């Protein structure tokens, strides 16, 4: 008997397939979901998925399907690019842009930030989002156990979005061996109302049905027993029956198919069964299949031919035979193994040494045939082959592109190359012993230092940079390595050593001018940032600026101005700081090479504008900076959330502030900001009467030190939160005591004016006139020293409350109203209302009170409303019929203004990216609001 070729019929698995079909119908009517299918090799994951998705296209869904491959695990986004058809020749410019990003066609900045893989991952997610806006989509990624980490991250992010868009996201994986990022997918699916389908072995009745289907007759008792050996695994069963049929061990007896002999020899495992199937193939075909197996589960026919050194046409008969033997299938110009296990059996049958040699040969053959970089790299890292002349040549020629496309692979190959000359040996002797390395050693090891620095592997970057420094004669390269060394030292908290390195570099009389300016600017940046001698930092920065200008080096100028802006920041001279930043932005223009530096300036600009109460401009900068940071894949996107959170907090968009704070919580916390993050979150919670959350944040920041200028500067929200919390608990004296620390000269360089009016209010309430006066004087002095409108308004409020004159308090309210600082507007109006009422100007008091209530209402602060009402009641001023209601906890009323706006736009039928553009929010912010 021969195997029944038509036996592709699905046996059992009814409920699983029906579940997937139902989800396809759901998505076609607009409701997305995420699904994971898990099970051992050959159990039927791919088969069940394809049966489940069969109707997708006819129901109007866009169906895309990709499979990960064992070889490509370290190639970032490999699977996603494959399934979404992203390559540099894409007709769709957006996909072309993603491919270009991955190919490193964008210069890497000297600040070592900006990760193209991260940026491309974001873009992949955005691409799917965009497609989903056009039509429902089914996206299947098979064999996730082999997927690269960036693709897994993209899958997870998409899973989180399935509740909000018409995307049916499907994935399949083998649960063993366990891989952490794959396990995380399960978590994501569970927490986003997804489904996990675990495929168990087939039931006995299904096994018999399948055997009957394969042999074309009902199986007899011996054959049934034998089939039991497959333990319900359809792949094994299929291979087992296939072997039996090919070896003619099955005969027809009395209308049933049964075994000819009682105990035929049988393969002991699935892989043995597969290997035995391959034993039937001719030598030529086996050779072709081995070459194909080297290249992965799927590859272009042309690549196989290139590896074998022949033309496709010569090999046509062999390809046909392999397809006929049901080992591979052919779709257009690509070959694909019918099953990954078949590839594995072929691959593993080759001796390790032979495999290593073949991979090395394949790499060269593919490179010469013009195959993509990633395919060549895959071959070079498949087994640790020797570094020979060709490999080093190739590496030197493609290192910078490889660093972008596959940084991990780049590091591995570069490390292998560089290790040919160990750092502590007599290096020249070792190098000369491997002559192929000599011309490349410098370049390759410098590239290694750069990529390690960029990957944030600071300690290794430091070692590599030192090795190059020690050996290279090239002055420019030396300077570049010093830059990396000093920056790495700074990042690992060793500022003094970093400064020493820079001094040593600057001592070199032959230092190229450009590098002179850059290193000097870096030294100034460090000096200013670590709060050393500000005047000295300024002098160094000015010198760097002059040299940079003379050398015409925009990067050095940008760095020097960054240092100067930090100096002005430390001096709290905001207008001067903003001027430096704007000048730097003008110099840097939008040259891609300086994007990371520009980003740094833009983030500082955002902060500066916020301090200056220029919120509208801050909003525009925020949008620019966000787009840029997302495109850059900037690891420091986190540092952007701080000024953004402050901005939103000050203008009273507290939900947006909370989204930013959440984003900060998702990255390893920067100690300096802990007080600020928990302080802001606690403040919002306190004002909204959510005591449990407030307590949680206050406890988390309990022992936050405030002993450096930075930590003091960032402790303002925390101090406010502690004070407001004590005041709400009726402990007014404690509330005052918390704030008194602000009068300490150590706080002179903070934004303490934000809190001083509260200090005055509390002191006046407790009849502590001295403290109230000192606080008011301090506020006035701060405003005189750095006359920003915000400081002046604060000083006015203090003065008014101290003297009991509502005039200046109303002036301050006028300022807050104009610039949009709503929380302070509410408070100033309430205070002014009390002062007006005390003077007997009831009408004006009523008006101020009414406006305060409106403001409080939009902020959702019921307690403030009650407090204000209680303060005004003694003067006969009541909340009246127009007075604000506390925010409802459910339904439309429970929404904040931003949420309402988002809800309106969603109701308008706009897709999320549109909404984000409209509101100038980031896509993630919109997701957070929609899912609330
Ligand atoms: N329910 C079924 N009925 C009939 N044949 C099946 C069934 N499930 C799987 N098969 C067959 O078994 C083989 C293995 O199935 P499949 O490729 O779907 O397994 P898998 O779980 O995806 O394996 P892997 O983990 O290796 O990807 C296929 O040849 C398929 O045709
Ligand atoms: Mg499969």
């Amino acid at each position: 008997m021969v195997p029944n070729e038509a036996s592709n019929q699905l046996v059992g698995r009814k409920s699983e397939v029906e579940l997937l079909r139902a989800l396809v119908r759901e998505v076609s009517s607009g409701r997305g979901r995420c699904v994971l299918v898990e099970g051992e090799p050959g159990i039927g994951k791919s088969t069940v998925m394809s049966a489940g998705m069969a109707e997708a296209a006819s129901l109007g869904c866009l169906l895309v399907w990709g499979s990960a491959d064992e070889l490509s695990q370290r190639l970032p986004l490999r699977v996603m690019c494959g399934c979404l058809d992203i390559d540099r020749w894409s007709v769709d410019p957006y996909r072309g842009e993603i491919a270009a990003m991955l190919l490193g066609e964008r210069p890497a900045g000297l600040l070592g930030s900006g990760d193209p893989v991260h940026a491309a991952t974001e873009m992949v997610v955005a691409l799917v989002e965009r497609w989903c806006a056009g039509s429902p989509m089914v996206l299947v990624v098979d064999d996730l156990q082999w997927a690269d980490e960036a693709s897994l991250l993209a899958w997870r992010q998409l899973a989180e979005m399935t509740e909000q868009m018409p995307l049916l996201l499907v994935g399949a994986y083998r649960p063993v061996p366990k891989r952490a990022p794959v396990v995380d997918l399960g978590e994501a699916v569970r927490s986003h109302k997804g489904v996990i389908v675990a495929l168990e072995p087939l039931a006995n009745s299904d096994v018999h049905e399948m055997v009957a289907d394969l042999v074309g007759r009902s199986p007899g008792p011996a054959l049934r027993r034998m089939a039991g050996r497959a333990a319900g695994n359809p792949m094994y069963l299929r291979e087992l029956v296939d072997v039996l049929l090919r070896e003619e061990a099955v005969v027809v007896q009395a209308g049933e198919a049964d075994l000819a002999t009682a105990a035929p020899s049988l393969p002991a495992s699935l892989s043995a069964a597969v290997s035995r199937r391959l034993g039937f193939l001719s030598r030529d075909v086996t050779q072709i299949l081995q070459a194909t197996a080297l290249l992965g589960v799927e590859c272009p026919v042309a690549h196989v031919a290139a590896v074998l050194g022949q033309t496709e046409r010569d090999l046509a008969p062999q390809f046909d035979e392999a397809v006929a033997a049901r080992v591979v299938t052919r779709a257009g110009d690509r070959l694909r193994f019918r099953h990954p296990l078949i590839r594995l059996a072929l691959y593993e049958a080759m001796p390790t040494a032979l495999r290593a040699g073949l991979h090395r040969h394949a790499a060269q053959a593919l490179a010469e045939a013009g195959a993509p970089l990633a395919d060549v790299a895959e071959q070079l890292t498949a087994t640790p082959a020797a570094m020979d002349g060709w490999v080093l040549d190739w590496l030197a020629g493609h290192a910078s592109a490889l660093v972008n496309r596959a940084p991990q692979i780049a590091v591995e190959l570069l490390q292998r190359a560089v290790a040919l000359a160990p750092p502590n040996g007599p290096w020249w002797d070792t190098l000369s012993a491997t002559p192929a390395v000599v011309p490349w050693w410098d370049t390759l090891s410098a590239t290694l230092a750069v990529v390690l620095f960029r990957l944030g592997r600071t300690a290794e970057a430091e070692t590599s940079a030192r090795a190059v420094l020690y050996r290279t004669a090239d002055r420019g390269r030396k300077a570049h390595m010093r830059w990396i060394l000093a920056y790495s030292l700074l990042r690992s908290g060793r500022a003094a050593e970093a400064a020493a390195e820079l001094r040593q570099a600057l001592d070199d009389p032959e230092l190229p001018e450009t590098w002179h300016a850059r290193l000097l600017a870096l030294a100034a940046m460090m000096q200013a940032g670590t709060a050393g001698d500000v005047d000295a930092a300024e002098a160094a920065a000015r010198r760097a600026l002059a040299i940079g200008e003379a050398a015409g080096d925009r990067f050095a100028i940008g760095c020097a101005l960054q240092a100067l802006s930090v100096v002005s920041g430390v001096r709290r001279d905001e207008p001067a700081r903003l001027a430096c930043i704007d000048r730097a932005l003008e110099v840097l223009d939008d040259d891609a090479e300086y994007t990371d530096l520009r980003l740094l300036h833009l983030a500082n600009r955002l902060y500066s504008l916020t301090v200056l109460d220029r919120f509208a401009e801050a909003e525009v900068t925020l949008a620019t900076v966000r787009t840029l940071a997302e495109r850059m894949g900037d690891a420091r996107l986190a540092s952007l959330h701080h000024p953004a959170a402050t901005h939103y907090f000050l203008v009273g968009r507290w939900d947006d502030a909370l989204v930013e704070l959440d984003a900060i919580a998702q990255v390893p916390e920067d100690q300096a900001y802990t007080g600020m993050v928990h302080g802001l979150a606690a403040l919002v919670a306190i004002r909204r009467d959510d005591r449990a959350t407030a307590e949680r944040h206050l406890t988390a920041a309990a022992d936050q030190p405030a002993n450096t200028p930075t930590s003091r500067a960032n402790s303002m929200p925390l101090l406010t939160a502690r004070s407001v919390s004590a005041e709400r608990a009726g402990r007014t004296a404690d509330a005052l005591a918390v704030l008194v620390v602000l009068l300490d000269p150590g706080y002179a360089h903070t934004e303490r004016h934000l809190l001083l009016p509260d200090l005055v209010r509390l002191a006046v309430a407790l009849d502590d006139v001295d403290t109230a006066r000192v606080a008011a004087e301090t506020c006035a002095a701060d405003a005189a020293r750095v006359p920003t409108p915000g400081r002046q308004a604060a000083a006015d409020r203090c003065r008014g409350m101290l003297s009991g004159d509502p005039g200046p308090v109303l002036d301050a309210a006028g300022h807050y109203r104009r610039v949009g600082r709503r929380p302070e507007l509410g408070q100033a109006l309430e205070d002014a209302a009390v002062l007006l009422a005390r003077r007997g100007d009831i009408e004006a008091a009523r008006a101020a009170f009414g406006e305060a209530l409106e403001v409080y209402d939009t902020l959702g602060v019921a307690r403030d409303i009650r407090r204000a009402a209680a303060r005004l009641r003694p003067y006969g001023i009541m909340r009246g019929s127009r007075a604000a209601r506390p925010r409802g906890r459910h339904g439309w009323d429970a929404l904040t203004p931003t949420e309402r706006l988002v809800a309106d736009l969603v109701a308008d039928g706009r897709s999320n990216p549109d909404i984000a553009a409209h509101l100038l929010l980031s896509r993630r912010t919109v997701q957070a609001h929609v899912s609330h």
Side-chain angles (χ1 to χ4, degrees):
M1 287 181 82
V2 292
N4 179 0
E5 292 297 337
S7 64
N8 272 330
Q9 214 169 311
L10 189 76
V11 159
R13 307 288 191 220
K14 289 206 169 44
S15 58
E16 291 89 347
V17 172
E18 189 36 55
L19 172 77
L20 296 177
R21 290 207 167 131
L23 294 176
V24 171
R25 286 194 295 273
E26 285 263 297
V27 78
S28 72
S29 60
R31 281 180 303 275
R33 258 317 173 83
C34 48
V35 194
L36 275 178
V37 180
E38 62 168 44
E40 63 180 49
I43 198 71
K45 301 180 290 296
S46 309
T47 310
V48 165
M49 290 195 301
S50 78
M53 305 304 136
E55 291 168 358
S58 60
L59 288 173
C61 299
L62 172 65
L63 173 67
V64 295
W65 189 299
S67 314
D69 183 320
E70 225 175 338
L71 276 179
S72 58
Q73 257 181 63
R74 284 177 307 162
L75 273 170
L77 287 178
R78 179 73 145 174
V79 195
M80 285 299 181
C81 289
C83 89
L84 300 170
D85 230 350
I86 294 171
D87 65 41
R88 59 188 316 184
W89 294 282
S90 294
V91 266
D92 166 11
Y94 192 65
R95 279 184 277 172
E97 204 184 316
I98 304 178
M101 173 88 71
L102 283 169
L103 285 168
E105 287 163 4
R106 197 194 57 187
L110 267 179
L111 300 184
S113 64
D115 172 359
V117 172
H118 182 178
T121 311
E122 288 280 326
M123 289 168 82
V124 161
V125 173
L127 175 70
V128 173
E129 200 176 2
R130 190 188 289 180
W131 283 359
C132 286
S135 90
M137 181 171 174
V138 179
L139 170 56
V140 186
V141 186
D142 200 354
D143 295 316
L144 281 168
Q145 74 275 1
W146 292 318
D148 62 274
E149 297 207 359
S151 293
L152 289 172
L153 180 66
W155 199 96
R156 209 175 66 209
Q157 289 183 0
L158 289 170
E160 288 167 8
M161 293 154 65
T162 47
E163 286 171 81
Q164 298 148 25
M165 54 190 207
L167 170 67
L168 174 59
L169 180 69
V170 188
Y173 70 101
R174 303 176 182 172
V176 183
K178 261 198 165 80
R179 222 181 120 200
V182 179
V183 175
D184 290 349
L185 297 188
E187 273 311 303
V189 166
R190 265 185 287 271
S191 57
H192 291 278
K193 304 204 181 102
V195 191
I196 298 188
V197 180
L199 291 186
E200 303 295 338
L202 291 179
N204 270 345
S205 53
D206 294 334
V207 168
H208 297 157
E209 189 185 332
M210 194 171 152
V211 176
D213 196 35
L214 287 168
V215 300
R217 291 241 153 73
S218 161
L223 184 55
R224 285 177 188 217
R225 262 198 313 282
M226 199 53 66
R229 291 269 300 273
N233 181 309
M235 170 85 183
Y236 193 2
L237 186 64
R238 203 173 238 267
E239 294 303 307
L240 216 57
V241 173
D242 200 87
V243 166
L244 292 171
L245 292 173
R246 284 186 194 274
E247 293 179 359
E248 296 180 346
V250 180
V251 290
V252 178
Q253 291 168 346
E256 279 188 336
D258 214 342
L259 295 178
T261 57
S265 88
L266 274 180
S269 65
L270 175 55
S271 62
V274 174
S275 309
R276 214 144 115 186
R277 151 204 289 280
L278 299 169
F280 296 104
L281 302 168
S282 72
R283 254 195 94 241
D284 277 0
V285 174
T286 309
Q287 212 179 17
I288 286 210
L289 291 174
Q290 282 177 335
T292 315
L294 279 178
L295 302 178
V297 173
E298 189 187 329
C299 67
V301 181
H303 286 186
V304 181
V307 168
L308 291 170
Q310 300 199 42
T311 64
E312 276 181 66
R313 178 130 38 100
D314 292 342
L315 293 172
Q318 284 91 325
F319 284 133
D320 290 345
E321 190 184 336
V323 172
R326 300 199 319 126
V327 177
V328 287
T329 52
R330 189 169 172 161
D333 57 356
R334 297 181 79 81
L335 278 186
R336 181 176 177 82
F337 278 98
R338 199 176 50 74
H339 199 276
L341 288 166
I342 299 181
R343 176 202 160 253
L344 192 68
L346 268 162
Y347 186 74
E348 290 189 336
M350 291 184 257
T352 319
L354 173 67
R355 239 158 39 195
L358 288 174
H359 275 303
R360 159 68 187 80
H361 163 77
Q364 187 165 352
L366 291 182
E368 283 161 5
L373 180 80
D375 291 329
V376 180
E378 222 168 65
Q379 293 301 313
L380 284 178
T381 47
T383 51
M387 281 283 151
D388 52 44
W390 183 84
V391 179
L392 287 163
D393 267 353
W394 182 84
L395 201 51
H398 298 87
S400 50
L402 193 62
V403 161
N404 282 287
R405 178 64 191 96
Q408 312 291 347
I409 292 184
V411 167
E412 188 189 312
L413 289 175
L414 289 168
Q415 275 173 335
R416 270 202 254 150
V418 168
L420 294 173
N424 40 12
W427 71 277
W428 181 249
D429 294 351
T430 329
L431 270 187
S432 325
T434 1
V437 196
V438 177
W440 299 129
W441 197 90
D442 258 21
T443 316
L444 294 179
S445 43
T447 311
L448 177 62
V450 171
V451 59
L452 288 168
F453 175 64
R454 218 169 82 188
L455 289 173
R457 289 162 65 171
T458 334
E460 291 162 280
E462 185 192 328
T463 316
S464 293
R466 280 193 202 282
V468 184
L469 261 179
Y470 175 64
R471 291 168 179 179
T472 189
D474 181 318
R475 293 216 116 77
R477 179 161 287 154
K478 241 191 170 84
H480 188 180
M481 291 300 113
R482 286 260 194 234
W483 172 281
I484 287 185
L485 181 56
Y487 222 129
S488 303
L489 288 166
L490 185 73
R491 278 190 186 163
S492 44
R494 288 147 67 192
E497 283 172 70
E501 282 300 335
L502 287 176
R503 269 196 303 279
Q504 202 178 331
L506 290 165
D507 277 348
D508 179 357
E510 287 171 57
L511 190 63
E513 266 320 77
T514 306
W515 279 107
H516 186 182
R518 291 177 176 185
L519 291 163
L520 195 59
L522 182 60
M525 261 159 83
M526 285 187 190
Q527 210 168 5
T530 49
D533 182 344
V534 181
D535 296 333
E538 182 179 7
R542 293 215 178 279
R543 218 147 35 90
L545 185 61
I547 300 176
E549 278 171 343
D553 184 58
R554 293 198 278 157
F555 185 79
I557 299 173
C559 287
L561 286 167
Q562 156 70 12
L564 284 174
S565 80
V566 175
V567 167
S568 305
V570 172
R571 293 189 180 133
R572 295 280 141 191
D573 185 350
E574 273 326 311
R577 162 142 87 157
L578 194 57
C580 285
I581 295 172
D582 284 340
R583 195 170 145 208
L585 288 171
E586 202 174 301
V587 171
L588 295 172
D589 203 12
D590 56 3
D591 192 326
E593 204 175 330
Y594 310 126
T595 306
D596 52 1
L597 184 54
R598 196 152 71 96
L599 207 54
L600 194 65
H601 279 294
L602 281 168
N604 290 336
R605 180 166 205 271
L606 176 61
Y607 183 80
S608 226
L609 290 170
T610 302
V611 168
L612 290 170
D613 285 354
R614 288 161 61 176
F615 296 106
E617 289 160 87
E619 197 83 355
V620 175
T621 302
L622 183 57
T624 318
V625 93
R626 218 193 287 273
T627 320
L628 204 60
E630 280 180 359
R631 277 288 156 95
M632 275 287 283
D634 194 328
R636 289 171 319 185
L637 192 60
S639 65
L640 181 73
H641 297 301
H642 297 288
T646 310
H647 167 83
Y648 287 136
F649 182 79
L650 290 176
V651 296
R653 284 167 59 179
W654 291 348
D655 294 293
D656 296 324
L658 291 178
V659 170
E660 299 296 333
L661 295 174
D662 268 357
I664 299 171
Q666 280 166 22
V667 291
E669 223 167 289
D670 183 343
Q671 280 299 316
Y673 290 107
T674 311
M676 184 198 135
V677 171
H678 288 296
L680 284 182
L683 257 181
V684 173
I686 295 171
R687 307 263 325 246
R688 287 185 171 168
D689 264 348
D690 178 356
R691 271 180 240 177
T693 308
E695 266 318 303
R696 194 157 47 75
H697 287 292
L698 286 174
T699 316
D703 42 43
Q704 209 36 52
N707 47 10
T708 63
T710 319
S711 59
R712 274 196 288 269
N714 287 324
S715 69
M716 295 298 109
L718 188 59
L719 286 179
T720 320
R722 284 181 184 148
S723 172
V724 177
S725 162
E727 190 184 355
R728 299 246 156 147
R731 295 184 282 109
T732 317
D734 291 345
L736 177 66
V738 169
L739 299 184
V740 167
V741 65
L742 291 170
L743 303 176
D744 191 292
Y747 282 84
H749 293 301
T750 63
E751 299 296 309
R752 63 180 167 188
H753 66 275
L754 293 170
L755 285 71
L756 292 173
D758 286 324
L759 179 49
V760 173
R761 185 172 49 78
L762 291 165
V764 168
L766 290 167
D767 283 332
D768 182 350
V769 183
D770 286 344
T771 306
R773 186 175 330 109
V774 176
E777 283 165 10
T778 306
C779 200
D782 281 2
R785 200 162 36 80
V786 182
T788 64
R791 285 175 186 234
Q792 266 144 7
D796 284 345
R797 271 171 80 190
C798 291
R799 185 156 52 88
M801 278 189 290
L802 183 67
S803 62
D805 178 1
V809 183
L810 284 170
D811 289 346
H815 169 74
Y816 295 140
R817 193 185 296 111
R818 259 193 313 281
V819 300
R821 287 173 81 148
R822 302 183 60 76
E824 281 150 301
L825 173 61
Q827 184 70 55
L829 286 167
E830 177 190 330
D831 291 337
V834 173
L835 296 179
L836 286 164
R838 211 180 280 161
R839 292 201 159 183
D841 191 348
I842 300 297
E843 266 326 294
R846 202 189 300 281
F849 175 59
E851 190 186 345
L853 291 187
E854 272 169 30
V855 172
Y856 286 151
D857 183 39
T858 58
L859 293 171
V861 289
R863 276 281 291 264
D864 294 71
I865 294 179
R866 288 200 293 277
R867 183 201 54 224
R871 285 176 80 189
L872 273 305
R873 201 169 300 123
Y875 304 98
I877 298 174
M878 302 294 176
R879 279 166 69 179
S881 55
R882 280 191 314 115
R885 287 167 286 115
R887 239 166 29 114
R889 287 243 161 253
H890 304 286
W892 192 252
D893 282 347
L895 301 180
T896 61
T898 311
E899 286 170 344
R900 268 182 226 174
L901 193 49
V902 172
D904 275 344
L905 294 168
V906 171
D908 264 3
R910 294 199 197 200
S911 69
N912 283 354
D914 273 2
I915 299 174
H918 188 80
L919 293 177
L920 299 179
L921 300 174
S922 92
R923 196 154 34 80
R924 295 238 194 292
T925 319
V926 176
Q927 278 161 34
H929 287 312
V930 174
S931 58
H932 272 165

